[in-house]
Amino acid sequence: MALQRMALHSSPKEILENRRQQDVLLRKTSFNLTMSQTRKKSSSEGETKPWTSFVNRFLSSSKLRSSKAKSRKESNDLETTDFQPSDETQKPAPLDTAKALSSEMGLELGCRMEKNEQFLQKLGKQAVDKGLDLNNCRLTTADVREMVALLPFLPDLEKLDISWNDFVGGTLPLITEQMHLVNKLKSLRLGSCRLTTDDVRALGEALKAIPDLEELNLSWNSKVGGNVPLILQEFQAGSKIRMLELVDCALTSEDGTFMGQLLPVLQSLEVLDLSMNRNIGGSLNSIAQGLKSTSSLKVLKLQSCGLSQKSVTLLDAVFRYLSELRKLDLSCNKELGGGFEDSPAQLATLEHLEVLDLHQCSLTAGDVVSLTQVIPLLSHLQELDLSANQKMGSSSENLLSRLRFLPALKSLLISNCALERETFTALAEASIHLPALEVFNLSWNKCVGGNLKLLLETLKLSTSLQVLRLSSCSLVTEDVALLASVIQTGHLARLQKLDLSYNDSVCDAGWAIFCQNLWLLKELTELDISLRPSTFRDCGQWFRHLLCSVTRLPEITEIGMKRWILPPSLEEELECFDRDHRSSIRFDHGGCQ
């Protein structure tokens, strides 16, 4: 009513002045109300929840600056008014009228802000400055609407992640219509949101409103397939996009061709992930041509993309243009086998390469021979995965022996390669010269059983080893006893994960010796000694040694011990243990009888 009375008795100039003051009060009131609510919650709850001050941080970083500027202008205006002659037709608004304005406008805005605070707290996600992370929050359609209502309060938003929320699908236009309000956005993640065709089309239009976008993730949305040109057509020369992830998007061969044409425009591109799109293998020629123009590329992932032997030749011609490449993933392309026999030479030009993943590529003996000439030249290599290439078993002796020339290697995965004693011996001798090794996976190589002593020096010298996996290696009692002696002498002190599962030949005496020394691995977080799915065995008295050791391991969180049969007395002890340590240790004894 106060506002109505003012309007009836005010001149046009006075009305404009009142509106200006209204804007000032609106901003000041919104900020003060928010800060007041935050202080009240802090004093009543003792410690504010992570999301409580989320909106405040945005207000303080963006609107506070504008509020100060407005305040200075208001102060200047008031000073000018004080020195003007009095005029009955131009009287300044009385103080009580200003308070009425503040009360009416502030109440409405404060209510909106409080709802926003409640919405953010309800989701229970950690707040980060200039970032809104609603990943895997089970958002409903109503939640999406609340989030859209929040956007006007976040003009400085740079990161928005709403991945793994199924109900976002079909509602994305609600968000894209407001995208202009967050035009400083640099990272947009919409992975696994069940986007519809209408959603991806709306997204394509919305990308025009966020010219500073650097990261876009649309992975695990099948409707992206066939619509890539509609989505990415707005990317023009000078685009700032650095990371583009389209994993498992059902991309078509036509999408692949478009990507090849688009890549030369993306001069800032550093990460390209097209994994799990099997139909783009046929358009790799176009993609390869486009990659020649992405000299800043650091990560290229083409896992399970239907690549063939010919694909290796096409990529080999590209490598010399990718001098900054750090990670190359060609894994799970089973038709790739044989492609390296004649075309691995340019791989050696990737002098900064740190990660090479060729697991499950059906590598042939000829591939291994060729790679033997190249891989040892990659002096910066830190991670190498050759797992699930079973033809390596009899042909990789020279390759594994030359791994000693990779002193920076931190992760070596050679699981399920059908290694023979000669190749395992070569690997064991080379591993002594890998001082930085942190992850070592030899699982599913039966030749390790009875021959673990070949790794004795490596286990003693590997002061950085954090993960050791020897699952299904046909280990025998002597192997486990050897491992226990290494632990007893103070080695493997940094080990965090140890997998000895599916080694059913170890007798109770071996497990007893191992469990008695287990407590010395003070950094251990995970241990797995489960039996094979088809095997059940009675659990011996060594189980008490295991429980005793676990209570002395400060970092342990999970014990895998599936399919061991516990007698009633030990089962009771395990129940007591579970009750005492339920909050910190997960004892996975599923399958026990």
Side-chain angles (χ1 to χ4, degrees), residues 441-455:
N441 189 346
L442 289 169
S443 296
W444 298 90
N445 288 293
K446 307 302 182 183
C447 69
V448 178
N451 293 304
L452 192 63
K453 57 184 177 289
L454 296 175
L455 283 178

Side-chain angles (χ1 to χ4, degrees), residues 6 85 122 146 286 315 515 574:
M6 285 179 59
K122 174 183 69 175
E146 286 193 66
S286 176
L315 291 173
C515 292
L574 179 57

